[in-house]
Amino acid sequence: MLTITHTHEAGTMIDGTCRGDGTAEVLKSAGWRWGRSISAWFVPQSRDRLPKLHTITRTTSALEAAGFEVTTEIDSSHRTTADVEAGKIERQADRVDALAAKAERKTGAEEAAWNNARAALDRLPEGGEPIKVGHHSEGRHRNAIAKADTAMRKSVEASAEATTAQARADAATHTTDARYNPVTVANRIETLGAAIRKLERRITAQCYDDTHGYIDATAEQIQARATRLAPHIDEKRDQIAYWEAVRAAQVESGTATGYDRATVKKGDRVKIRGQWREVVRANLKTVSVTTGYTWTDTAPYAEIQQLMRPE
């Protein structure tokens, strides 16, 4: 008996599999991955998201066709965005600690490999003495050169691994800050708003009929779509409310600027990405600025760092 489960916190997983039972090939073809840290199969990017019913249905059909008995336990509710973000921040902090520890281990291994390489080189005859072919020392001399070469190669590889581990650890320390960057937050709000409008349009979208072409959806179809898409719309609205609160707090604290069409006028000078530009036109969501050439550039209001009036 195989059981496919989904919760918003854990994502989509499957219980009841074992090595060599034939499920691996089916799950891989359906887009599943094996998680070594959790010792289980999971659907990528399913944690903190609503269930991907098409993936679950396709997997269930493929497993049943392969002779397995499958049941599903699907929870379509979602956690609040505040809880989701708190979990992400906590997991990222754990990841930073783990990568820092790994970088420290790799640095220690690099030092040990370098010491071994130096010791191997020191065992070679001084002054680069050539191999005495036919002499009783020939074999020992060749072995010493081979060992020195191997030790030096391991030292170079250990150095590269230590550099990579340190770079990953350094990058991980900035992940949460990058996620809460004021421009990123503003862009995320715009993206979520567009996603909500798209979902709402899908509820009343026309249907295609082979005979009459595109026709208006019936009341029953609209109701069915609204019921099916309601969890997705609710999730997006909760997300946009959270990020709008974050944005408001950033503007209040001065971390973000918060300029818009009402505060930016033609002729103003604005600082965008470290450069001052003159405003040519204040659009609904972007500002058009001069470039010094015959064309203009546009930038979101969130990217405006400072504003200066003509006077």
Side-chain angles (χ1 to χ4, degrees):
M1 175 69 72
L2 303 178
T3 304
I4 297 177
T5 62
H6 178 88
T7 62
H8 199 260
E9 182 176 5
T12 305
M13 304 175 68
I14 186 169
D15 297 326
T17 63
C18 60
R19 183 188 293 271
D21 63 358
T23 56
E25 293 73 13
V26 178
L27 293 173
K28 286 180 181 178
S29 64
W32 292 61
R33 292 183 184 174
W34 174 257
R36 289 184 296 176
S37 61
I38 59 177
S39 299
W41 289 95
F42 69 98
V43 174
Q45 299 181 358
S46 62
R47 175 188 281 179
D48 297 328
R49 298 190 182 186
L50 292 173
K52 301 178 181 179
L53 297 179
H54 60 284
T55 300
I56 295 173
T57 302
R58 185 174 69 249
T59 303
T60 301
S61 300
L63 287 170
E64 289 177 344
F68 296 97
E69 186 177 355
V70 185
T71 61
T72 58
E73 297 177 3
I74 308 301
D75 182 1
S76 296
S77 62
H78 65 84
R79 298 188 298 159
T80 64
T81 305
D83 290 339
V84 171
E85 288 300 314
K88 287 183 178 181
I89 292 173
E90 182 179 357
R91 291 195 300 272
Q92 184 61 26
D94 293 339
R95 183 171 185 268
V96 169
D97 293 339
L99 288 174
K102 181 178 181 180
E104 185 176 353
R105 292 195 304 271
K106 292 293 184 181
T107 300
E110 176 191 12
E111 294 177 356
W114 171 247
N115 292 334
N116 291 337
R118 289 302 312 172
L121 290 173
D122 290 341
R123 285 193 290 270
L124 294 175
E126 296 183 3
E129 180 180 347
I131 298 174
K132 300 175 181 178
V133 180
H135 192 264
H136 64 82
S137 64
E138 178 183 356
R140 184 171 63 254
H141 197 164
R142 291 187 184 277
N143 290 337
I145 293 176
K147 290 180 180 178
D149 180 71
T150 300
M152 183 57 69
R153 290 178 185 276
K154 289 183 178 179
S155 174
V156 172
E157 292 173 358
S159 177
E161 291 177 358
T163 301
T164 300
Q166 188 61 53
R168 291 184 64 192
D170 293 340
T173 60
H174 304 296
T175 299
T176 299
D177 292 339
R179 183 170 176 78
Y180 282 79
N181 178 277
V183 175
T184 302
V185 171
N187 292 338
R188 186 175 292 118
I189 292 171
E190 291 294 330
T191 301
L192 289 170
I196 291 174
R197 292 190 295 271
K198 182 178 180 180
L199 289 170
E200 291 173 340
R201 288 194 300 269
R202 288 175 58 185
I203 295 176
T204 57
Q206 290 183 320
C207 304
Y208 183 78
D209 182 80
D210 293 336
T211 304
H212 303 93
Y214 285 99
I215 58 176
D216 293 336
T218 64
E220 292 78 7
Q221 290 173 326
I222 292 176
Q223 182 60 42
R225 293 174 185 172
T227 302
R228 177 168 52 86
L229 295 177
H232 297 272
I233 294 176
D234 291 343
E235 181 187 39
K236 296 297 183 186
R237 285 175 177 167
D238 182 73
Q239 291 174 352
I240 200 170
Y242 174 85
W243 290 110
E244 284 177 343
V246 171
R247 174 73 177 169
Q250 291 177 338
V251 172
E252 184 178 358
S253 65
T255 306
T257 51
Y259 296 111
D260 56 23
R261 194 177 190 179
T263 55
V264 179
K265 304 297 181 183
K266 181 179 179 181
D268 291 345
R269 292 185 63 81
V270 293
K271 187 178 183 181
I272 299 175
R273 300 173 187 173
Q275 294 186 345
W276 286 96
R277 303 286 183 87
E278 182 178 343
V279 176
V280 176
R281 183 172 57 258
N283 308 307
L284 181 61
K285 296 184 178 181
T286 62
V287 59
S288 300
V289 296
T290 58
T291 61
Y293 300 97
T294 57
W295 61 84
T296 60
D297 280 344
T298 59
Y301 286 107
E303 292 189 7
I304 298 178
Q305 298 167 304
Q306 288 180 259
L307 182 143
M308 189 182 300
R309 301 298 182 187
E311 62 273 12

